[in-house]
mmCIF file of all heavy atoms in Angstrom:
data_model
loop_
_atom_site.group_PDB
_atom_site.id
_atom_site.type_symbol
_atom_site.label_atom_id
_atom_site.label_comp_id
_atom_site.label_asym_id
_atom_site.label_seq_id
_atom_site.Cartn_x
_atom_site.Cartn_y
_atom_site.Cartn_z
ATOM 1 N N VAL V 84 89.901 112.121 131.959
ATOM 2 C CA VAL V 84 88.714 111.287 131.770
ATOM 3 C C VAL V 84 88.750 110.188 132.851
ATOM 4 O O VAL V 84 89.155 110.465 133.978
ATOM 5 C CB VAL V 84 88.635 110.709 130.326
ATOM 6 C CG1 VAL V 84 88.269 111.814 129.368
ATOM 7 C CG2 VAL V 84 89.919 110.032 129.902
ATOM 8 N N GLY V 85 88.355 108.963 132.522
ATOM 9 C CA GLY V 85 88.384 107.889 133.500
ATOM 10 C C GLY V 85 89.701 107.172 133.451
ATOM 11 O O GLY V 85 90.639 107.600 132.813
ATOM 12 N N ALA V 86 89.767 106.006 134.135
ATOM 13 C CA ALA V 86 91.000 105.222 134.179
ATOM 14 C C ALA V 86 91.068 104.307 132.975
ATOM 15 O O ALA V 86 90.065 103.635 132.608
ATOM 16 C CB ALA V 86 91.045 104.430 135.482
ATOM 17 N N VAL V 102 84.622 108.767 125.061
ATOM 18 C CA VAL V 102 85.818 108.037 125.438
ATOM 19 C C VAL V 102 85.446 106.828 126.304
ATOM 20 O O VAL V 102 84.829 107.004 127.352
ATOM 21 C CB VAL V 102 86.835 108.907 126.156
ATOM 22 C CG1 VAL V 102 88.139 108.180 126.516
ATOM 23 C CG2 VAL V 102 87.183 110.154 125.342
ATOM 24 N N ALA V 103 85.905 105.639 125.858
ATOM 25 C CA ALA V 103 85.661 104.426 126.644
ATOM 26 C C ALA V 103 86.783 104.305 127.681
ATOM 27 O O ALA V 103 87.938 104.179 127.301
ATOM 28 C CB ALA V 103 85.607 103.203 125.755
ATOM 29 N N ASN V 104 86.405 104.258 128.964
ATOM 30 C CA ASN V 104 87.352 104.166 130.050
ATOM 31 C C ASN V 104 87.362 102.732 130.572
ATOM 32 O O ASN V 104 86.501 102.338 131.356
ATOM 33 C CB ASN V 104 87.001 105.122 131.171
ATOM 34 C CG ASN V 104 86.914 106.554 130.666
ATOM 35 O OD1 ASN V 104 87.836 107.079 130.113
ATOM 36 N ND2 ASN V 104 85.759 107.222 130.929
ATOM 37 N N GLY V 105 88.341 101.951 130.086
ATOM 38 C CA GLY V 105 88.364 100.477 130.348
ATOM 39 C C GLY V 105 88.429 100.159 131.837
ATOM 40 O O GLY V 105 87.714 99.252 132.294
ATOM 41 N N ARG V 106 89.230 100.809 132.622
ATOM 42 C CA ARG V 106 89.398 100.456 134.024
ATOM 43 C C ARG V 106 88.390 101.115 134.938
ATOM 44 O O ARG V 106 88.291 100.780 136.118
ATOM 45 C CB ARG V 106 90.819 100.765 134.490
ATOM 46 C CG ARG V 106 91.901 100.002 133.710
ATOM 47 C CD ARG V 106 93.117 99.682 134.512
ATOM 48 N NE ARG V 106 93.631 100.813 135.316
ATOM 49 C CZ ARG V 106 94.505 101.682 134.872
ATOM 50 N NH1 ARG V 106 94.968 101.649 133.624
ATOM 51 N NH2 ARG V 106 94.937 102.658 135.667
ATOM 52 N N SER V 107 87.619 102.059 134.382
ATOM 53 C CA SER V 107 86.529 102.690 135.162
ATOM 54 C C SER V 107 85.159 102.144 134.807
ATOM 55 O O SER V 107 84.177 102.477 135.507
ATOM 56 C CB SER V 107 86.525 104.206 134.910
ATOM 57 O OG SER V 107 87.720 104.822 135.319
ATOM 58 N N ASN V 108 85.066 101.353 133.753
ATOM 59 C CA ASN V 108 83.766 100.854 133.319
ATOM 60 C C ASN V 108 82.786 101.977 133.052
ATOM 61 O O ASN V 108 81.624 101.904 133.426
ATOM 62 C CB ASN V 108 83.184 99.842 134.282
ATOM 63 C CG ASN V 108 84.082 98.655 134.519
ATOM 64 O OD1 ASN V 108 84.832 98.293 133.639
ATOM 65 N ND2 ASN V 108 83.965 98.048 135.682
ATOM 66 N N THR V 109 83.265 103.008 132.334
ATOM 67 C CA THR V 109 82.468 104.155 132.050
ATOM 68 C C THR V 109 82.767 104.713 130.620
ATOM 69 O O THR V 109 83.777 104.318 130.042
ATOM 70 C CB THR V 109 82.702 105.332 133.019
ATOM 71 O OG1 THR V 109 84.101 105.705 132.984
ATOM 72 C CG2 THR V 109 82.343 104.933 134.434
ATOM 73 N N VAL V 110 81.907 105.561 130.146
ATOM 74 C CA VAL V 110 82.120 106.302 128.929
ATOM 75 C C VAL V 110 82.032 107.802 129.263
ATOM 76 O O VAL V 110 81.037 108.261 129.872
ATOM 77 C CB VAL V 110 81.112 105.957 127.829
ATOM 78 C CG1 VAL V 110 81.238 106.931 126.621
ATOM 79 C CG2 VAL V 110 81.343 104.530 127.352
ATOM 80 N N SER V 111 83.075 108.548 128.931
ATOM 81 C CA SER V 111 83.091 110.008 129.151
ATOM 82 C C SER V 111 82.522 110.745 127.942
ATOM 83 O O SER V 111 82.927 110.409 126.792
ATOM 84 C CB SER V 111 84.475 110.506 129.433
ATOM 85 O OG SER V 111 84.992 109.933 130.639
ATOM 86 N N THR V 123 79.509 111.321 132.593
ATOM 87 C CA THR V 123 80.216 110.059 132.703
ATOM 88 C C THR V 123 79.182 108.978 132.916
ATOM 89 O O THR V 123 78.432 108.987 133.912
ATOM 90 C CB THR V 123 81.198 110.068 133.935
ATOM 91 O OG1 THR V 123 82.138 111.161 133.745
ATOM 92 C CG2 THR V 123 81.940 108.766 134.007
ATOM 93 N N VAL V 124 79.089 108.037 131.957
ATOM 94 C CA VAL V 124 78.027 107.063 131.951
ATOM 95 C C VAL V 124 78.563 105.694 132.306
ATOM 96 O O VAL V 124 79.469 105.162 131.631
ATOM 97 C CB VAL V 124 77.364 107.018 130.538
ATOM 98 C CG1 VAL V 124 76.218 106.003 130.504
ATOM 99 C CG2 VAL V 124 76.899 108.373 130.112
ATOM 100 N N PRO V 125 78.057 105.041 133.350
ATOM 101 C CA PRO V 125 78.498 103.677 133.688
ATOM 102 C C PRO V 125 78.024 102.702 132.564
ATOM 103 O O PRO V 125 76.900 102.754 132.134
ATOM 104 C CB PRO V 125 77.769 103.394 135.031
ATOM 105 C CG PRO V 125 77.382 104.733 135.547
ATOM 106 C CD PRO V 125 77.116 105.572 134.335
ATOM 107 N N VAL V 126 78.927 101.777 132.210
ATOM 108 C CA VAL V 126 78.596 100.770 131.212
ATOM 109 C C VAL V 126 79.027 99.411 131.735
ATOM 110 O O VAL V 126 79.083 99.174 132.932
ATOM 111 C CB VAL V 126 79.246 101.112 129.855
ATOM 112 C CG1 VAL V 126 78.599 102.335 129.243
ATOM 113 C CG2 VAL V 126 80.757 101.301 129.970
ATOM 114 N N GLY V 127 79.341 98.459 130.817
ATOM 115 C CA GLY V 127 79.727 97.147 131.241
ATOM 116 C C GLY V 127 81.186 97.059 131.650
ATOM 117 O O GLY V 127 81.865 98.054 131.839
ATOM 118 N N PRO V 130 84.974 98.490 128.944
ATOM 119 C CA PRO V 130 84.582 98.986 127.619
ATOM 120 C C PRO V 130 85.851 99.319 126.814
ATOM 121 O O PRO V 130 86.712 100.061 127.331
ATOM 122 C CB PRO V 130 83.747 100.224 127.890
ATOM 123 C CG PRO V 130 84.291 100.680 129.226
ATOM 124 C CD PRO V 130 84.609 99.453 129.987
ATOM 125 N N ALA V 144 79.146 101.036 123.185
ATOM 126 C CA ALA V 144 80.364 100.759 123.924
ATOM 127 C C ALA V 144 80.567 99.197 123.938
ATOM 128 O O ALA V 144 79.716 98.478 124.527
ATOM 129 C CB ALA V 144 80.295 101.269 125.375
ATOM 130 N N ILE V 155 74.105 103.570 124.535
ATOM 131 C CA ILE V 155 73.802 104.805 125.324
ATOM 132 C C ILE V 155 72.949 105.726 124.463
ATOM 133 O O ILE V 155 73.305 106.018 123.281
ATOM 134 C CB ILE V 155 75.076 105.504 125.753
ATOM 135 C CG1 ILE V 155 75.996 104.560 126.548
ATOM 136 C CG2 ILE V 155 74.765 106.774 126.569
ATOM 137 C CD1 ILE V 155 77.363 105.123 126.790
#
Side-chain angles (χ1 to χ4, degrees):
V84 289
V102 181
N104 303 306
R106 300 211 314 271
S107 297
N108 299 334
T109 59
V110 171
S111 297
T123 301
V124 181
V126 292
I155 305 169

